[in-house]
Every structure is written in structure tokens, then in C-alpha cells.
Amino acid sequence: MKLKHKLRHHLINSPVIKNIFGMGFFRALGVLTNFLLMGLIYRYFSNEVLNGIWLTIFSILTWITFFDFGMGNSLRNKLTESISKNDITLSNMYISTTYILMIVPTIIIIVGATISADFIDWNKIFSVNGDLVSNEYLTLFICVVFILYALNFYFSIIFAILHAIFKSYLISGIQALVNVINIIFISVLYLMKVNDLILLGGIYIGTSVIVLVITTIWIFKLNKQNLTLSFKYFNKSLIKDIANVGLKFLILQLAIIVLFNTDNFLISRYIGVDKVTSYQLVNKLLSVNTIILGIVLTPIWTKVIRDTAENNINENRKTLFKLLIVFFLLVIGVLIIGFLSPLILKVWTGSNILVSNKLTIFMVIFTIIHMWCNIFQVILNGLSKLNIQMICYGIVAVINIPISVYLVQHTDLGVVAIILGTIFSLVVPGIILPIYTIRYFTKI
């Protein structure tokens, strides 16, 4: 009876469990609201041209997030360590130094975008007739969204702090809340038949900026750790420390982008754009397991940093063991979904999409290896062991495209060759990262 009570008490009070359930709920809400928001925006525009401009600009804007040079993740690691050691002064120094440091890229984005926008023929870039949308209008639209997105990017630093204080679930909550507010405002505009790119961009990004500002004020005013953002805590000597770790995270992020975001281009270029749909549908279907693992891993990253700072290596070993159990359970889920994929795809899409068994099998293998790598990547992130990851994923980023292209050109595998190239590439971190992690734990 005591054991049962103790277990229930642990489940209720564990910050990791709270984050997993909280993120699961808000992530599901976020996916639902994002689906509704995308459909609403599509209806909002009076023609495909405006919608095309919108989608193109926002695909470019997502790259701005990399202008933080990995300093968000760097702050997350350093802040978690200092909080674990109960060093509030050092924590405030890391927070204040990062916020002040991030002013520089934010200003560069704003100034660079507003100056360069005036010299670009946007009608030519988007292949849009000037009678439909003038170049002056598009220039103003670009300036508005880039300025707001730069501010959004700056105030997103609060996410690193939320991770560090075991409130990662609030990040998913914030994103869901922003979606809900945008759905309300854009629905009003839609019903009023107001069709304006600039107004939509201002509301869509401006809502996120306002929510982030309010969250930032709320966190600094009500947090129990007495965290403070102030110029007096700016410490020049910490810049190198933050930037060094940040640069390593940046290299990792860029390598992973090359690995996971080039498949569509390769399929379109070497096989045919019509093959992208079946490839992506199977990928999206199986990625449900990767998303679930990601929800589990998000608070684990912070937990590993904290346990390492407290020199609690046994706890880290237990964490890895538990993650391997989660992994094997998800492998079963991947196999079941893979087996049922023809039926699920038919119900999901409402049509008989032909997906070869070979593609499904290799996509299942890819998903399993991807999850396997993610587990050890998060453990090593928490241990601040980034050099080995940079080497592994650097190799992967270099060899992935050549291997995929070679397989396409020298085999009759078709679209399967693309995912097979990614699988071959992932073998590098899939073997090296686990060996490195296990050797690290056995040596301590």
C-alpha cells in the first residue's frame, strides 16, 4: 500500500511526467488548431496567387530562427546547470547576457530586411502581375512580416528559460493559444470579407509577439527561482561561453536540416514531383511515433542536464534505460502502423493511394533508426557532448545527398532509393552515438 502511494505521489509531483502529459495535451491541441488555421487562411485569400505568396514568405521566415546561432539551446543548457547548482546570480547573468546579445541579430534582421526590400522587384520574384498586387504593396508586406518575425524570434528566448525550469509544456500551450487567437481574429476578417496580406501578416505574427511578451513578463515576475532580466547582470566574460556552445548547436541544426529536408527536392528533381505525395503520406503517418518520442524527450533533456550538474550519474543511467523501454514500445507501434498503413491511408485520404510495400518497409526502418538516434542525441545534448554529434551529423549531411542520388541513378528502386540513402546515412550516428554514450557511462 505504501509502495502504491509512493508511486502515485511520484507520478503526480514528477516534473518530467507533468511535462510529458502537459505537452501531449497541448501538442494535440496545437496540431488540431494549426490544421483549422491553415484551412481558414486558405479560404481567407481570394485567389491562389496571394496564398502562394503567403506560403513562400513564411517558408523563408522559418530560416530566421537559425540566426540565434544556437544561443537558445546554449542558454537552455547553461541555465539548467546554474539553477541545479542553486546559483541564481549566475543564472541571471546567463539570461541577461543572452537577451542583450540577441539584440544584435534581431536589429540586423530588421534593418537588413527593410533596406533590401526596397531594392527588390517582388513582382518578378513571385511572378505576380503588378495589376493584381503592386510592388510597393509587396515591399510593405515584406517589411511588416520581417520586423514582426524578428521580434517574435527575439522574445522566443523565453522558451529556453521555460525548458530550464521544467515548464516545457507551456511552450506547446503558448503555440496552441496563439493559434486559437489567430483563428478568432482571422475568422472575423473572413466574415467581414476583408482580404489583405499586410493585415493578415500583422495579426498572424503580431499575436505571437504579444503573447510572448506577456509570457516573458509573467515568468520573470512570478517565477519561484527569482530569475531576473536586467542590464546589471550582463557579463561580457560569458559571451564566449554562450557563443561556443551555441555555434555547436547551430552546426547540428543545419546538418539535421540537410538530412531531413532535402528528400522532397531530390524526389522532384530525379524521380518526379508526383511521387512526393505517397512518400510524404507514409512518412507523416509513421512520424506519429517520432512525435510521441519527442514529447517524452523534451523534458528528459533538461533532466539529464540537472542530474549531470548534481553529479547524479546513476540517475542518468536509469533515464537511458527507461528511454530504451519507451523506444521498444514505440517500435511495436511503428510495426503495427506500417502493417495497417494501406487501410489507414485509405481512411485518412479517402482515396486508394498506391504505396509500394517496399517503400513502407524502408520507411518503417527509417523511423526506427531515427527514433534510436534521437534518444542518444538528447542524452548527449544534456551531457553537453556536442563534438561527437557534430562529427557524426556533419558526415551524414555530406554523404546523404550523394548516396541518395547514386541509388536513384544506378538502381531501379525509384522513390525507395531516397529513403534508403537516408537510412545508410543515419547508420553513422546510429552506431557511433550509442557506443560513445555507453562508454561514457561505463567509464564514470
Side-chain angles (χ1 to χ4, degrees):
M1 194 72 180
K2 284 184 178 179
L3 181 63
K4 185 178 179 182
H5 177 75
K6 186 177 180 181
L7 178 61
R8 188 168 67 177
H9 178 78
H10 171 73
L11 291 173
I12 293 172
N13 293 281
S14 170
V16 174
I17 300 299
K18 283 182 179 178
N19 272 278
I20 290 171
F21 280 104
M23 284 186 66
F25 173 76
F26 286 124
R27 187 70 65 86
L29 183 60
V31 169
L32 175 61
T33 53
N34 192 56
F35 176 79
L36 294 173
L37 185 58
M38 287 176 65
L40 180 61
I41 290 174
Y42 184 82
R43 287 175 174 79
Y44 175 85
F45 290 112
S46 57
N47 58 64
E48 295 287 342
V49 174
L50 292 177
N51 192 49
I53 294 171
W54 176 265
L55 293 173
T56 304
I57 286 298
F58 275 86
S59 65
I60 295 170
L61 284 172
T62 55
W63 286 81
I64 290 181
T65 55
F66 292 100
F67 277 84
D68 77 338
F69 300 103
M71 284 190 281
N73 284 331
S74 179
L75 174 62
R76 175 181 181 174
N77 276 29
K78 296 296 180 182
L79 184 58
T80 305
E81 290 173 9
S82 57
I83 290 175
S84 299
K85 294 173 182 176
N86 204 28
D87 192 338
I88 302 304
T89 300
L90 182 59
S91 298
N92 290 332
M93 285 180 179
Y94 275 121
I95 291 170
S96 301
T97 303
T98 302
Y99 266 95
I100 293 170
L101 201 58
M102 287 293 291
I103 292 174
V104 177
T106 303
I107 292 174
I108 290 174
I109 293 168
I110 292 173
V111 173
T114 50
I115 291 176
S116 61
D118 218 23
F119 294 94
I120 298 174
D121 187 345
W122 295 105
N123 288 106
K124 189 174 182 180
I125 294 290
F126 294 115
S127 299
V128 178
N129 192 312
D131 295 332
L132 178 64
V133 186
S134 70
N135 190 67
E136 291 75 15
Y137 181 87
L138 287 175
T139 300
L140 182 58
F141 169 66
I142 298 295
C143 289
V144 168
V145 295
F146 266 84
I147 290 170
L148 287 174
Y149 205 88
L151 293 173
N152 185 74
F153 146 83
Y154 179 78
F155 287 107
S156 293
I157 299 171
I158 194 65
F159 291 162
I161 298 171
L162 290 173
H163 281 306
I165 60 176
F166 275 109
K167 293 188 182 296
S168 300
Y169 62 92
L170 286 179
I171 298 171
S172 298
I174 289 167
Q175 291 163 345
L177 175 62
V178 169
N179 284 348
V180 170
I181 295 172
N182 275 326
I183 287 172
I184 294 170
F185 278 109
I186 296 171
S187 294
V188 172
L189 292 178
Y190 176 69
L191 292 173
M192 293 174 64
K193 297 183 179 179
V194 177
N195 195 253
D196 190 275
L197 262 175
I198 297 173
L199 186 59
L200 180 65
I203 290 173
Y204 188 86
I205 313 174
T207 300
S208 181
V209 173
I210 293 170
V211 171
L212 286 175
V213 171
I214 293 171
T215 303
T216 302
I217 295 170
W218 174 59
I219 291 297
F220 284 121
K221 290 292 183 182
L222 300 179
N223 71 86
K224 296 177 182 179
Q225 287 87 0
N226 296 317
L227 301 177
T228 303
L229 172 59
S230 173
F231 280 102
K232 72 177 182 179
Y233 285 112
F234 176 77
N235 191 319
K236 191 177 179 181
S237 64
L238 295 179
I239 293 177
K240 186 177 179 181
D241 191 22
I242 295 169
N244 281 344
V245 177
L247 185 60
K248 292 177 182 179
F249 274 117
L250 174 64
I251 294 170
L252 268 174
Q253 287 171 322
L254 292 175
I256 289 170
I257 278 182
V258 171
L259 177 63
F260 294 115
N261 290 275
T262 54
D263 286 358
N264 285 355
F265 169 77
L266 292 175
I267 293 169
S268 300
R269 172 70 177 80
Y270 293 100
I271 302 172
V273 70
D274 58 307
K275 301 297 182 182
V276 173
T277 302
S278 60
Y279 182 90
Q280 279 301 314
L281 281 173
V282 179
N283 190 15
K284 293 286 185 187
L285 185 61
L286 291 169
S287 68
V288 170
N289 300 276
T290 314
I291 293 170
I292 293 171
L293 180 63
I295 291 170
V296 174
L297 291 177
T298 299
I300 292 296
W301 180 344
T302 305
K303 183 180 184 300
V304 172
I305 300 170
R306 185 194 64 184
D307 291 335
T308 304
E310 296 173 353
N311 204 27
N312 196 347
I313 304 303
N314 284 332
E315 187 60 31
N316 279 335
R317 292 192 183 103
K318 290 178 184 177
T319 297
L320 177 57
F321 178 73
K322 291 174 183 176
L323 286 178
L324 292 177
I325 293 174
V326 172
F327 167 75
F328 286 115
L329 291 173
L330 286 173
V331 167
I332 296 172
V334 172
L335 294 174
I336 292 172
I337 292 175
F339 180 74
L340 296 175
S341 61
L343 177 61
I344 297 172
L345 286 173
K346 184 177 180 180
V347 174
W348 185 20
T349 62
S351 59
N352 289 312
I353 294 177
L354 295 176
V355 178
S356 69
N357 290 332
K358 195 177 290 185
L359 174 60
T360 303
I361 290 168
F362 281 110
M363 196 66 79
V364 164
I365 295 170
F366 159 73
T367 305
I368 292 171
I369 297 175
H370 186 197
M371 292 192 301
W372 174 257
C373 292
N374 284 354
I375 287 173
F376 291 96
Q377 188 182 351
V378 165
I379 293 290
L380 292 171
N381 283 347
L383 295 171
S384 293
K385 300 296 179 183
L386 303 177
N387 290 341
I388 186 67
Q389 294 188 70
M390 282 197 302
I391 293 169
C392 287
Y393 282 101
I395 293 171
V396 166
V398 171
I399 67 173
N400 179 49
I401 294 176
I403 289 176
S404 297
V405 172
Y406 178 84
L407 289 172
V408 168
Q409 294 178 337
H410 293 85
T411 69
D412 58 354
L413 292 171
V415 71
V416 175
I418 302 297
I419 194 63
L420 193 56
T422 305
I423 290 171
F424 284 148
S425 302
L426 275 177
V427 167
V428 177
I431 294 174
I432 295 176
L433 296 187
I435 292 174
Y436 183 91
T437 305
I438 293 168
R439 286 186 64 185
Y440 174 82
F441 282 142
T442 53
K443 283 182 178 180
I444 298 175

